[in-house]
Amino acid sequence: MKFLVINSGSSSIKYQVIDMTTETVLATGLVERIGETTGHLQTTFYPGTDQERESVAEQAIADHDSGMRSALALLTDPEQGIIAHTTDIAAIGHRVVHGGEDFRASTLITPAVLAAIERNIPLAPLHNQANLDGIRVAMEIFADSPQVAVFDTAFHQTMPPRAFHYALPYALYEQDRVRRYGFHGTSHRFVAGECARLLAKPLAQCNLITVHLGNGCSMTAIENGVSVDTSLGMTPLEGLVMGTRCGDVDPALHLFLHQNKGMDLVAIDAMLNKESGLKGLCGLNDMRDIHKAAAGGDERAALALAVQTYRNRKYIGAFMAVLGRVDAIVFTAGIGENDPFVRAESLKGLEAFGVRLDPDKNSGHTGEARIISQNDSRVRVFVIPTNEELAIAREVAGVVQG
Ligand code: AMP
């Protein structure tokens, strides 16, 4: 049984074909620079196996429809042997960024679901429109395959009002749904499930803090298996220090920048999303480059590390207070999985709260899910690789198989 997972952006489509019987990836691909003079098409067949091979092409890709059709041509190439026909795809999972308050779970796409995703466009204008474009094209090309929407926000719909409300005039919530939603939900849910398995405990009995540190960063407090608070808010800008996004700032900053620097709201928003975070502090946003620079004496790089890890620690402390009992803290995503320094600094000083990291286990690297706390640590600490595509595919399986 083969599933196709699609993540459609404004000028790109990322996809994977996954054999769900073995949960192995048969092909992974990327169509980029859609609508530009030269587009980029890249597909890896049988990644990570001894049959791995790659196809790369530069060609104009007018729109999402032609992008998806070009990808399909590669997937149905008899030489590659991925699929013979569109009907070989048993189901399709679409990553959708914003489900607003309409979706608490992944769902089969119907006209009503499409209308609801469209209704939520004001909450994530660029993302939801791009996701919809991808869904519409896939529904046309793979007309016989059930299509499922998997929302970044759905996992966090269990947050109680005290956690999801901003202290703003209530009418903004009633009329415009201004509230905290949270994102990266598929990743948080996936690593929480894996962690419960490692703890040999039902997820519904686990209290966890999941720490997703990649280009985007977020942290979730999970009580008895459900999200009760998370660091990202109405948009993916609140909370932790990210690659280029600022995380928490004083909201009065906007007025200050407007009055003192003459910046308009669009320029301020672009700065907070694209020129801030680690990049804002030290000019670099790839953690590997930041470590090299810091090791070479770059004080700004050291500062960026200190600001990010301090913010992480502050949120971990806050979420420990939210949860009371914490079974485990889980690190995931590019930085969370690969950076022992960031993990150690983010947990520094938390021994009094029952967190005892094992320095040797923390500095080892296996690429596998593993425990990195000492045997007597009351709060266990894990590194668990996230796998968004597999998480989406499992969600799809849950929906189509009931
Ligand atoms: P993601 O968004 O999960 O793909 O994470 C991307 C980020 O992970 C990159 O920007 C890097 O900063 C970081 N990253 C990847 N590999 C490493 C590594 N070996 N050590 C530290 N950070 C890493």
Side-chain angles (χ1 to χ4, degrees), residues 212-216 285-288 291 333-335 338-339:
H212 176 112
L213 302 176
N215 272 322
N285 64 303
D286 189 303
M287 196 46 101
R288 289 160 290 199
H291 279 298
I335 300 169
N338 296 303
D339 196 323

Side-chain angles (χ1 to χ4, degrees), residues 319-330:
F319 284 177
M320 288 184 122
V322 165
L323 293 172
R325 187 199 89 232
V326 179
D327 296 306
I329 297 170
V330 181

Side-chain angles (χ1 to χ4, degrees), residues 1-22:
M1 196 174 50
K2 292 166 187 172
F3 283 5
L4 176 62
V5 173
I6 295 174
N7 183 353
S8 174
S10 52
S11 64
S12 70
I13 304 171
K14 286 188 203 140
Y15 59 90
Q16 277 195 5
V17 179
I18 302 178
D19 182 339
M20 287 309 285
T21 330
T22 51

Side-chain angles (χ1 to χ4, degrees), residues 66-322:
S66 80
M68 194 87 83
R69 286 182 196 281
S70 307
L72 178 65
L74 287 161
L75 296 176
T76 49
D77 178 351
E79 263 185 43
Q80 307 299 349
I82 304 291
I83 54 169
H85 192 265
T86 51
T87 51
D88 292 340
I89 295 293
I92 301 181
H94 294 274
R95 175 184 182 219
V96 181
V97 166
H98 220 305
E101 291 189 318
D102 292 292
F103 300 101
R104 303 177 71 85
S106 303
T107 182
L108 199 64
I109 300 176
T110 61
V113 168
L114 284 176
I117 297 172
E118 194 151 15
R119 221 175 24 248
N120 283 310
I121 286 179
L123 290 171
L126 294 177
H127 286 109
N128 268 33
Q129 184 58 60
N131 300 153
L132 265 181
D133 292 344
I135 293 173
R136 292 210 168 102
V137 165
M139 287 180 91
E140 227 177 275
I141 298 178
F142 298 88
D144 296 319
S145 313
Q147 319 245 348
V148 174
V150 178
F151 300 93
D152 272 20
T153 50
F155 182 56
H156 303 300
Q157 277 296 298
T158 44
M159 279 195 288
R162 62 170 185 247
F164 76 65
H165 273 291
Y166 290 118
L168 291 170
Y170 196 78
L172 278 174
Y173 170 62
E174 285 183 307
Q175 290 161 16
D176 300 287
R177 300 286 123 189
V178 172
R179 52 159 283 181
R180 309 182 62 253
Y181 291 94
F183 299 85
H184 296 150
T186 316
S187 171
H188 288 289
R189 167 184 269 165
F190 180 82
V191 298
E194 294 293 298
C195 182
R197 210 169 44 75
L198 293 168
L199 290 168
K201 202 171 167 179
L203 179 59
Q205 289 170 19
C206 291
N207 282 8
L208 309 171
I209 297 174
T210 49
V211 188
H212 176 112
L213 302 176
N215 272 322
C217 300
S218 67
M219 196 179 297
T220 298
I222 296 175
E223 186 173 38
N224 296 325
V226 301
S227 169
V228 292
D229 204 348
T230 194
S231 61
L232 289 169
M234 179 165 122
T235 75
L237 189 57
E238 194 177 331
L240 307 181
V241 175
M242 307 178 226
T244 64
R245 288 178 252 161
C246 58
D248 293 338
V249 289
D250 186 332
L253 178 68
H254 290 70
L255 184 65
F256 175 89
L257 291 173
H258 175 65
Q259 287 181 335
N260 291 281
K261 309 288 285 179
M263 292 171 77
D264 65 20
L265 286 175
V266 174
I268 295 170
D269 189 60
M271 184 191 83
L272 299 181
N273 274 289
K274 298 188 180 131
E275 301 299 332
S276 300
L278 298 169
K279 183 179 176 193
L281 286 165
C282 72
L284 302 165
N285 64 303
D286 189 303
M287 196 46 101
R288 289 160 290 199
D289 299 336
I290 293 173
H291 279 298
K292 269 187 222 138
D298 183 330
E299 284 179 15
R300 294 272 200 80
L303 176 69
L305 282 165
V307 174
Q308 190 193 48
T309 54
Y310 174 72
R311 183 83 52 87
N312 291 345
R313 202 183 325 152
K314 205 157 119 172
Y315 264 86
I316 290 172
F319 284 177
M320 288 184 122
V322 165

